[in-house]
Amino acid sequence: MLRPLAQPALALSGVLAVTTALAGCSGSDAATAAFPAWHDTQANVVSRMVTSGGVAAATSMKPDGTLETVALGLSDGRRLWAHPATMAGRLPGMGVSAPALVDFPGKGGGREAVVVALDPAHKGHWTSTLVARDARTGAQRWTRPIHSTFGPQRCGPYVCLAENTALSSARVVVLDPATGALKWKLPGIAEVEWSDDERVLMLRLAADPVIESYELKTGRPQWQQPIEQALGPGIDLSGGWAFGAAGPDLVGYVAPYTNPRTKKISTFGLFSVKIADGTVNWMRPSVVRVYPSGNPGFAPVVRPVDQRGGYGGFARLDAGTGRVVGQISAAEVPGSGWWLAFPDRLEKLGFLKHDAKGTVYDLATGRPVPVEEEHGWSFCVTDPKPLPLRGQPAGFYSVAALCEYDLATGKRTSGTQAPPSWFTGSQNGWRLWRDEKGGMHAVNDNTAPAPGMYG
């Protein structure tokens, strides 16, 4: 288990708050630097972690299979509060929903923040309740009855929510985080993929999916871009999707889906559009995103697939241009029994074989390099079990954890480094991640803002 800790300075309610030496975790050239870090040992985090307003929040699973929203102080990991949580209509393939954490201008001129999550409380035909709580105290601010939803999301200074997702009256509502008042709405189902204080970009979850831009304050449509214009006809979102920002652009990935009736594979690949006007910058059809790897908007690693379903080699792309910046050929890929493993900067690609000698390639040259003394990050668990969630459909999994491996032996290392920033992402210098037992970790190593593997 990863423990980026040394000489605990403070132990509070299961949280170890320290300043520790983490070698090379920020991606800088410094060999060693001291950074604030903490580890929460109480949580069993199963969702992504979100931060804002000096608070970190996530959805955790309790021993009895129920969920709860947990909030911690971002600077020290001190547990602030926890409340029961649930899901109502979220699809297992989407993973466990994270709370929405939104900060906004307060009445006194300062900043306020709320954590918005689904609470099990219900009445009549409503199955649950959307509750906004003060991020620091947990005090209830407002509620909204819910029938079905994929979960709340932050959209700039507001809360966005697709509600009634199981009904013909499905719609997206944009809510004031201070009061829960409705700002504007639109029919159908959509997911927030990017936002700032002025605009929000949403993916319309429809038979013909579209990326749409709206003015946040008014809901005025700004532009729309059908995904088939970038990748071609035959899009089916049933295989999954992922998005991430790359400077002024939004990079999207649509995964392939095989129709069980026709056995036909849907259109898939990567593409980029300008956030300002929706213009398509570049496209990479017929490539699959590999895991673990960087966010589509940060450091995508893909594998091409030909028309007969045959896999090619591996390529790392530049998120800004879509160009290949490193690759290995299909001939270099080992036969079977391997898992991908990448170092901190994704400059090499390793094929990890557990408890055996693996192979490593330099992505810039495509040539093999000596595997001795080469380390890489790969999944801690390769056969994850579905979460035993009470009252939820089967098939939900926790977000994955990464462990560091010695690629020469196929064994885990005993190092104390944090996982790479291409996996954790970074917000305001803080990087957060989950270990394989569900513990929450954080380090402030001043890494530049970037989306992580999960967004």
Side-chain angles (χ1 to χ4, degrees):
M1 183 172 65
L2 297 175
R3 294 184 182 275
L5 305 169
Q7 298 179 358
L10 184 65
L12 291 170
S13 303
V15 178
L16 298 180
V18 305
T19 298
T20 183
L22 297 175
C25 9
S26 68
S28 68
D29 293 331
T32 304
F35 303 117
W38 53 262
H39 172 201
D40 180 82
T41 60
Q42 287 184 308
N44 179 16
V45 171
V46 292
S47 76
R48 293 187 304 110
M49 288 168 274
V50 293
T51 65
S52 190
V55 174
T59 304
S60 178
M61 186 181 74
K62 300 169 68 175
D64 63 358
T66 59
L67 297 173
E68 65 177 358
T69 302
V70 295
L72 295 84
L74 183 59
S75 63
D76 56 12
R78 185 191 297 266
R79 181 69 66 99
L80 299 174
W81 54 266
H83 278 283
T86 190
M87 295 182 289
R90 189 171 172 91
L91 306 177
M94 303 176 77
V96 177
S97 58
L101 180 48
V102 183
D103 73 296
F104 53 93
K107 293 182 178 179
R111 304 288 296 184
E112 298 182 25
V114 293
V115 175
V116 185
L118 222 56
D119 189 288
H122 63 278
K123 183 178 181 180
H125 72 284
W126 305 108
T127 63
S128 57
T129 304
L130 189 73
V131 180
R133 293 184 170 91
D134 183 277
R136 291 232 164 242
T137 68
Q140 182 173 301
R141 298 284 294 268
W142 52 266
T143 65
R144 184 181 182 88
I146 294 295
H147 175 274
S148 50
T149 180
F150 292 157
Q153 295 180 278
R154 175 178 182 169
C155 48
Y158 302 126
V159 178
C160 284
L161 179 78
E163 62 180 10
N164 297 341
T165 51
L167 304 175
S168 59
S169 58
R171 63 180 186 173
V172 176
V173 294
V174 179
L175 308 175
D176 185 319
T179 65
L182 179 67
K183 304 294 290 186
W184 52 274
K185 61 185 178 180
L186 62 149
I189 302 175
E191 180 181 86
V192 174
E193 304 302 349
W194 180 90
S195 68
D196 61 11
D197 289 344
E198 304 298 329
R199 78 168 71 216
V200 57
L201 269 55
M202 296 187 185
L203 170 64
R204 282 283 196 161
L205 306 182
D208 297 311
V210 177
I211 297 290
E212 296 179 334
S213 177
Y214 294 90
E215 184 180 86
L216 252 179
K217 292 183 179 180
T218 65
R220 180 179 64 84
Q222 295 176 320
W223 57 260
Q224 65 173 216
Q225 181 61 263
I227 293 181
E228 68 175 15
Q229 293 294 323
L231 295 178
I235 299 291
D236 189 325
L237 295 178
S238 301
W241 62 88
F243 285 82
D249 306 320
L250 182 72
V251 182
Y253 170 65
V254 176
Y257 175 72
T258 302
N259 186 302
R261 182 176 58 84
T262 64
K263 306 302 180 184
K264 184 178 179 180
I265 300 176
S266 64
T267 300
F268 59 97
L270 276 167
F271 65 98
S272 168
V273 298
K274 292 185 184 301
I275 290 173
D277 59 14
T279 303
V280 176
N281 298 305
W282 56 264
M283 60 195 76
R284 283 278 177 176
S286 301
V287 297
V288 294
R289 181 187 178 196
V290 302
Y291 301 91
S293 66
N295 184 277
F298 182 60
V301 181
V302 300
R303 200 172 186 188
V305 183
D306 63 28
Q307 294 182 344
R308 294 174 295 178
Y311 286 94
F314 291 86
R316 176 180 170 183
L317 306 180
D318 180 280
T321 64
R323 295 173 181 168
V324 173
V325 295
Q327 64 182 327
I328 67 168
S329 68
E332 305 291 349
V333 179
S336 62
W338 48 263
W339 294 88
L340 291 180
F342 292 97
D344 285 356
R345 293 187 178 88
L346 289 173
E347 77 276 14
K348 298 174 185 176
L349 184 153
F351 294 97
L352 166 70
K353 292 194 174 184
H354 291 284
D355 299 316
K357 186 176 182 179
T359 52
V360 180
Y361 290 84
D362 185 304
L363 276 174
T365 65
R367 297 173 182 171
V369 297
V371 72
E372 287 73 22
E373 299 185 6
E374 291 289 345
H375 291 181
W377 292 86
S378 191
F379 292 123
C380 301
V381 177
T382 56
D383 58 343
K385 303 296 188 293
L387 295 169
L389 296 176
R390 180 188 295 183
Q392 298 292 336
F396 281 98
Y397 293 83
S398 62
V399 295
L402 287 197
C403 291
E404 187 182 35
Y405 291 85
D406 182 336
L407 296 179
T409 64
K411 299 182 182 297
R412 290 191 193 180
T413 69
S414 58
T416 58
Q417 289 195 74
S421 59
W422 55 259
F423 173 73
T424 66
S426 180
Q427 297 177 355
N428 297 317
W430 282 96
R431 301 197 292 122
L432 284 82
W433 68 97
R434 171 192 183 273
D435 66 32
E436 61 183 308
K437 293 186 178 180
M440 293 176 68
H441 296 256
V443 60
N444 186 346
D445 57 6
N446 300 313
T447 299
M453 191 177 87
Y454 287 104

